[in-house]
Amino acid sequence: MLRVGVCVSGGGTNLQAIMDKMESGAVTDAELSVVVSNNAGAYALTRAKNRGIPAVCVSPKDYETREAFHEALVETLDGFRLDLIVLAGFLVVLPEELIEKYRNRIINIHPSLIPSFCGTGNYGLAVHEHALERGVKVTGATVHFVDEGTDTGPIILQKAVAVRDDDTPKSLQLRVMEEAEWEILPEAIDLIANGKIRVENGRVVRV
Ligand code: GAR
């Protein structure tokens, strides 16, 4: 059974999708061991508590230095003996120590088709604003392993979503979530839990 920890900063709709698909049996061989947030007010923590899942806040506000915050974050995650860390809208730049320690065991959901609209400054609603400004006709979401870069790690799954002429950043954000993110993030966890993928030469291949 894969022990999964989910890191969140906000509403937690992706966390909800993961919990729902674990409960329905669409995701197998995986259990949610903890939900960690940097933000005490994150509704995602309430979603976890409602399901009886340990919900922990590790806020930078409670530490004097960035190093001390990073240390606490790594210690907290280590404490749950996780096989996989899922970043589901986690707006914290990860300490390199964590990335190194959990190489190919951290995944992230990004609301665009990487390499479009990713990297520094592209998170949340801004991603969809940039996609609409550029006038793309297709966007989507990507699940990838996390490496030292921003949105640069090996790609696991992508799903495309059509842009409509009357889309606003908000309407596009919601459709990308509904049609892509909430599908491919749980699916990626299921693939990993069932040993169906591995990283080879920086790319994800099916086993
Ligand atoms: C999601 O759209 C996720 O793709 C995005 O934050 C949102 C979190 O929503 N992540 C990024 O932009 C990371 N670069 P949620 O809290 O409702 O799951």
Side-chain angles (χ1 to χ4, degrees):
M1 190 67 90
L2 194 84
R3 290 177 60 80
V4 180
V6 179
C7 295
V8 292
S9 296
T13 62
N14 277 286
L15 167 69
Q16 189 69 50
I18 293 166
M19 294 192 301
D20 291 348
K21 297 222 168 178
M22 281 181 172
E23 198 168 286
S24 75
V27 174
T28 59
D29 283 318
E31 64 187 8
L32 199 42
S33 303
V34 66
V35 172
V36 175
S37 180
N38 60 315
N39 168 15
Y43 183 64
L45 289 173
T46 306
R47 292 183 194 266
K49 282 181 203 150
N50 288 345
R51 291 273 173 118
I53 292 157
V56 182
C57 174
V58 183
S59 167
K61 291 182 190 152
D62 296 331
Y63 299 90
E64 278 188 7
T65 62
R66 202 71 192 165
E67 289 71 34
F69 164 61
H70 283 167
E71 222 171 87
L73 184 64
V74 175
E75 224 170 74
T76 302
L77 292 166
D78 280 349
F80 285 89
R81 294 175 291 106
L82 303 173
D83 301 305
L84 181 70
I85 296 171
V86 177
L87 309 183
F90 190 52
L91 304 179
V92 170
V93 177
L94 295 189
E96 291 213 348
E97 180 200 342
L98 189 74
I99 298 170
E100 180 66 39
K101 202 168 192 175
Y102 290 83
R103 177 79 53 201
N104 296 335
R105 290 192 292 145
I106 307 176
I107 64 173
N108 178 51
I109 178 81
H110 183 77
S112 75
L113 294 174
I114 290 174
S116 289
F117 312 113
C118 63
T120 309
N122 274 305
Y123 60 88
L125 202 60
V127 177
H128 306 290
E129 284 166 4
H130 298 156
L132 290 178
E133 270 162 29
R134 185 62 186 83
V136 294
K137 305 304 175 210
V138 175
T139 184
T142 302
V143 186
H144 63 92
F145 284 110
V146 171
D147 66 9
E148 281 75 4
T150 307
D151 304 325
T152 52
I155 291 171
I156 303 168
L157 290 170
Q158 293 188 298
K159 192 164 179 213
V161 173
V163 178
R164 294 184 189 151
D165 287 343
D166 62 352
D167 261 326
T168 62
K170 281 225 172 259
S171 69
L172 187 56
Q173 179 183 48
L174 182 62
R175 234 176 33 264
V176 168
M177 282 176 155
E178 284 173 349
E179 292 180 16
E181 296 184 45
W182 301 342
E183 295 295 323
I184 64 174
L185 185 55
E187 191 183 337
I189 296 170
D190 187 62
L191 288 173
I192 294 165
N194 289 282
K196 293 198 174 142
I197 56 168
R198 70 161 179 265
V199 179
E200 227 175 69
N201 301 324
R203 291 190 206 137
V204 171
V205 294
R206 297 267 175 160
V207 177

